[in-house]
Amino acid sequence: MFLNAWVKCNNDEIKYTRRTLTDGTEQEDVKQWEVLQNQYLERFGLPEDYQKFLMLSVSKAKAQLDYVISGKRFELNKITALEMKINSLTNKSGEEITIQKMLNHLSKMQGYTLTLYNTTVSQYFELIDTLQKQK
Amino acid sequence: MAESIKKSDIIENDILKSVIIEFEQAQVKIKAFNDELRQTARLSKDGLNNVKFNSVTDINQAKIAILEANNAIKQKVLLEKGEIEVATALEQAKVKQAKAENDLNQQKARSEAITNKLTRSEQMLQSAYSRVNGWLGKLRSEYRDLAIKKELNGKLTDDEVRRMQNIEVRMTSYDSALKKVDASMGNHQRNVGNYAMAYNGLGNSVNQLTREMPAFANSVGTGFMAISNNLPIFFDEINKIKQANKDLVSQGQPVKSVFSQIGGAIFSVGTALSVGVTLLTIYGAKIVEFISTLGDEESAIKDSIESLDQRNKKLEESIQIQGMITSYYQKVRDMQLKNYELQLDDANKEEKIYKFRLKTTIEYYDNIQKELFLSEDKTANLRRKFRAEKDNEKKEEINKEIRDSELETAKLLMEYNTRNLALSIIEREGLRAREKELEDSLKKQLDLERKIEDERIKRISDKLQLDLTNTRIEANRRIEDLKLLDADEKQKSRLKKEIELTLSFDLKKIYEDYYKDLEVKAKSFYEKEINEIIKQQKAKEKALEDEKNKQKKWNDEIIQELDLHYKKINTEATNNENITNEELDKIRIENEIKQKEDELSFFKSRGEEYKSEVIKLEEEIAILKRTSRKKNEVSITKTINDVVKFGADYFIEQSNRKIAQIDKEQQQHEKAYSLYSDLAKNGNIQAKESLALENQQIVEANKKKQAELKKQAMWKLIEGGVSAYAKNAGDPNVKNPVMKTFTDITLLTQLLKTLPSFEVGTENTGTNGNGIDGRGGFHAILHPNERVLTKEQNQLIGNVSNEDLALTMNKLNSGELVKLKEGATSSVGNWQNMALISEIQDLKNIIKNKPDFKIEAGEIIQGAMSIVETKTTKNSIYSNRYIVK
């Protein structure tokens, strides 16, 4: 799968899971998109930050449910603390890196032009992985 | 009129009660919802506990669970808020309801009290009316008797004539009073036949016509136009009189001429006044002119003023009388009501009498039947006896008895038949009459009951209650009327149901209308009340603000005053820089004493009433005076104390030096004594003499030393005494500090004498302590640089004597005694070998414990080379850096 289709799917245009856009149903698209995501997870795993975010959100949900069950107000402090952690994770300052910028960077590293149309998803993420390891 | 309970209060109370119930229900609902939410939360939490992120489905499920948790907490917060609001509102409603209920109870109590009072008044009035009525009846009866006697005999005795005249006067008086009372209640029964008292419609219409007469003063046309409206009424009245005359003729009563009645109406006072006004309108100017020529204008005005005054006076009297009459009529109405009730009782009594008679008759009839049956039974028995008897004589006797019994039975039968016949005749003949009588009685009873109901309705002031009562009574009357209706029971029952159904609808409508109206009123009332509360709150806030400002102003003023005061004091202090703090304190205390003395004199002047205050103040002044005196004493004592301390220190130091000198001399004497002793052993005679001399010197030195120590003790005692005195002098509660100090020192000295001292040391303090710390402890005297061991430590060293302990330790320290191994020591005798062994042991230990140092170059960290130092001791290795293995 080329990167272009991956980006489109991520923007809720999941018909790009099809090889031919006119060939397929929406139900099949949903199923296929799920398969693709699972393949991605299997191969590259969840990004570290996102995993942290999910874990914190789950902890916060548990704390919220604890409060609902027990009605003890000190649970609210726990919730606030977790909210602060989540906020610090989501509000990380720094320049936003788009896929295009990343492709430019990778092109420089590889010595040839990488575009959304000539790069596959696995190539892209493996190159990023390599770059991270080099750093 | 009894004060009725306000319906609005009852409604308010009911509304509040229902509001409380609703709030309580809301609380229950909130609790149930809370429980449900909790249950859901538990389930969601179970799901979250097993969350994984292995696939997209897992992640999506986790996201959904997170969203659910968010929603749950939002709902929880809303519920908590609702719970608090409901609880607050419930509390407020409860408070309001309690207040409303209290008000209602108070109103009820008041209403009951007034009703009781009114009932008593009614009873009193009713009894008066009945009495007068009864008297009138008796008087009439007596009068009739006397009158008939006069008619029959032609004359009466003088007493009878006087009695008759007296009766006439009293009858007139009573009758007139009762008539007035009846008329006030709209009951003109007593005026039947007295047509002059009836409404005179003809007279009224003639009056109307004559009132319009002044219009003829303008023109004839205007006059006729004015009376044209009233002419039809006039003609109607003439026709009515004609018809009334016809009725009278038909009843055989005398008639009154129509023209005579018209004449009477025309020549009435009202007509005369109207004619007078007409004449005044036409000829007024001329009449006034005529009157003015008759007399002085001033006197005429005076007369008119007087007449006006008189008229006003009469009017006032009339108003008063009218008031009295109104109140009287009200009372009479109440009496009438009571009378109706009595009559109703009478009607009920008649019914009871009839029932009693009927019952008695039936009982009698039953009795005869019973006797007849018994008699027949007796005859039958006798016949059986007759048949069984064989003796002829006895048979004859029984036969006779049978005949008697048959005769008796026949008599009873005859009586029974007669009664039966009579009863059937009564039933037949009397049934119709009796039915009619009963019907009349029932009607009478109903009428009376309705009259009572009407009277009671008139007393109901509340609109809702009035409407409800009217509707209910109307329906009840319709149902009661059904009894008199000529219809079968089924039809009556159907009609009754219809009436009841209509009644229920009517009542519902009345309630709805009333509560609709009440709701609007209540809404406006509560809005008004809320506005009032807000207004009051604002007013309170404003008052609070004003109070705060006022307080602030006062505070500012006080601060200003204080500033001024302190400035003044500072100025004074600056002016008198030489004054010390002690002197300032003294001045302050003196001022305080003066102030208290002024206060004391004030209270003393008030006498016994302020005796306790006087005593209190006197005590305070005494304390202040003592404090002042103490201040002086303290300052002096402090100086003395300083001097004494200095002196004591100085003398003790000097004494110590002397002791040191004595010790030195003593040592020299001891050395010399030892030398002379050796020489004396070798036979040197001079040495022997010198030995005695040195010995004497040593003894004297000891004596001097003792004397110095005693001096030191004395100085310490003096110093302690002065210090104690300074302390006592500074305490305002101590009245005599010298005596107190003396007592303290004496006690201390005595105590010291009783305390054990360990100047020569002890191995065991014994078990004779008096337990001052609960563990057998006791006071004791210790000296500098002495040693005290605990019981355990003493046991550890085997309770050896102090001498042995000191000697052993000395030897151990000097190396004479060597420690071989833990817990064992060598004897003093072969210490040389032991010392050797000890040395070897030490060497072995040194070799064994020798640390192994290594120094080598570590990693290059951040551009600097670190030195890694490793030290190996026994089996442990110590390094100053982490080492990666």
Side-chain angles (χ1 to χ4, degrees), chain B residues 667-885:
Chain B
Q667 278 173 5
Q668 283 174 358
H669 287 306
E670 278 173 357
K671 273 183 184 175
Y673 181 80
S674 175
L675 182 68
Y676 290 143
S677 178
D678 290 343
L679 288 171
K681 280 178 188 170
N682 295 327
N684 192 332
I685 298 165
Q686 282 180 337
K688 279 182 185 172
E689 287 171 359
S690 297
L691 195 65
L693 192 67
E694 287 302 326
N695 194 23
Q696 194 182 351
Q697 291 291 338
I698 287 166
V699 172
E700 276 178 10
N702 269 333
K703 276 182 184 172
K704 277 181 189 172
K705 197 178 170 184
Q706 289 299 323
E708 284 303 322
L709 283 170
K710 271 187 182 175
K711 274 182 192 172
Q712 277 188 20
M714 187 192 74
W715 275 109
K716 277 183 182 169
L717 190 66
I718 289 166
E719 192 192 346
V722 172
S723 175
Y725 175 75
K727 195 183 162 196
N728 289 332
D731 188 353
N733 294 322
V734 178
K735 288 183 182 174
N736 194 342
V738 177
M739 186 54 77
K740 176 90 170 56
T741 310
F742 181 74
T743 316
D744 289 349
I745 289 171
T746 314
L747 280 170
L748 183 68
T749 319
Q750 283 174 353
L751 180 73
L752 288 174
K753 279 178 185 170
T754 60
L755 290 178
S757 168
F758 304 111
E759 203 169 4
V760 293
T762 181
E763 290 78 35
N764 196 335
T765 51
T767 55
N768 297 323
N770 47 12
I772 56 165
D773 59 349
R775 291 186 296 153
F778 56 88
H779 291 290
I781 298 169
L782 291 176
H783 303 91
N785 303 326
E786 285 180 346
R787 178 190 291 274
V788 178
L789 290 177
T790 63
K791 186 183 172 185
E792 287 75 24
Q793 287 166 342
N794 207 6
Q795 279 173 355
L796 201 66
I797 60 170
N799 292 324
V800 293
S801 69
N802 282 348
E803 202 65 40
D804 288 347
L805 182 66
L807 195 64
T808 309
M809 285 313 294
N810 187 28
K811 283 181 177 173
L812 197 66
N813 288 336
S814 64
E816 280 183 66
L817 195 68
V818 181
K819 188 179 177 184
L820 286 173
K821 56 179 182 181
E822 208 66 39
T825 52
S826 72
S827 66
V828 183
N830 53 359
W831 61 272
Q832 290 90 347
N833 292 338
M834 289 306 114
L836 191 61
I837 292 163
S838 177
E839 284 297 325
I840 293 162
Q841 194 76 34
D842 285 348
L843 274 171
K844 270 170 80 181
N845 284 338
I846 288 162
I847 292 160
K848 194 178 175 185
N849 298 331
K850 183 182 171 269
D852 181 17
F853 286 97
K854 265 189 205 169
I855 296 172
E856 53 190 43
E859 277 184 71
I860 297 167
I861 296 166
Q862 292 176 350
M865 186 186 283
S866 72
I867 303 298
V868 178
E869 188 184 333
T870 313
K871 189 168 103 178
T872 310
T873 312
K874 291 183 185 173
N875 295 327
S876 62
I877 300 166
Y878 167 78
S879 173
N880 67 339
R881 297 279 176 212
Y882 287 114
I883 296 165
V884 181
K885 289 180 182 176

Side-chain angles (χ1 to χ4, degrees), chain B residues 190-341:
Chain B
R190 290 178 197 273
N191 272 326
V192 173
N194 186 0
Y195 297 107
M197 293 295 286
Y199 170 71
N200 193 347
L202 182 65
N204 195 36
S205 64
V206 170
N207 272 339
Q208 285 296 110
L209 286 172
T210 50
R211 256 180 230 153
E212 304 295 345
M213 292 297 271
F216 281 99
N218 283 340
S219 70
V220 177
T222 319
F224 276 111
M225 274 171 71
I227 63 168
S228 62
N229 287 334
N230 297 308
L231 280 171
I233 303 165
F234 175 68
F235 294 138
D236 285 348
E237 288 301 325
I238 290 171
N239 284 335
K240 275 184 192 171
I241 292 166
K242 278 182 182 171
Q243 186 58 43
N245 280 346
K246 275 181 189 171
D247 292 345
L248 287 169
V249 168
S250 64
Q251 289 168 14
Q253 289 179 4
V255 296
K256 219 173 179 183
S257 157
V258 175
F259 286 105
S260 70
Q261 287 189 43
I262 293 171
I266 289 169
F267 296 108
S268 69
V269 178
T271 316
L273 279 170
S274 299
V275 169
V277 171
T278 313
L279 288 172
L280 276 171
T281 317
I282 299 166
Y283 302 108
K286 288 183 179 177
I287 291 166
V288 170
E289 198 183 337
F290 172 71
I291 290 165
S292 64
T293 54
L294 286 177
D296 191 9
E297 196 180 342
E298 200 178 322
S299 67
I301 291 166
K302 202 179 169 186
D303 290 346
S304 75
I305 289 167
E306 276 177 8
S307 68
L308 205 64
D309 283 347
Q310 279 177 358
R311 201 173 130 256
N312 285 342
K313 213 172 180 181
K314 280 183 180 171
L315 265 173
E316 280 173 10
E317 282 172 7
S318 158
I319 288 164
Q320 281 179 0
I321 291 163
Q322 194 62 39
M324 284 162 70
I325 288 167
T326 312
S327 130
Y328 175 72
Y329 286 166
Q330 181 62 39
K331 286 170 185 172
V332 168
R333 278 165 66 82
D334 293 343
M335 281 161 57
Q336 183 70 9
L337 178 64
K338 215 66 192 169
N339 194 28
Y340 287 148
E341 284 175 351

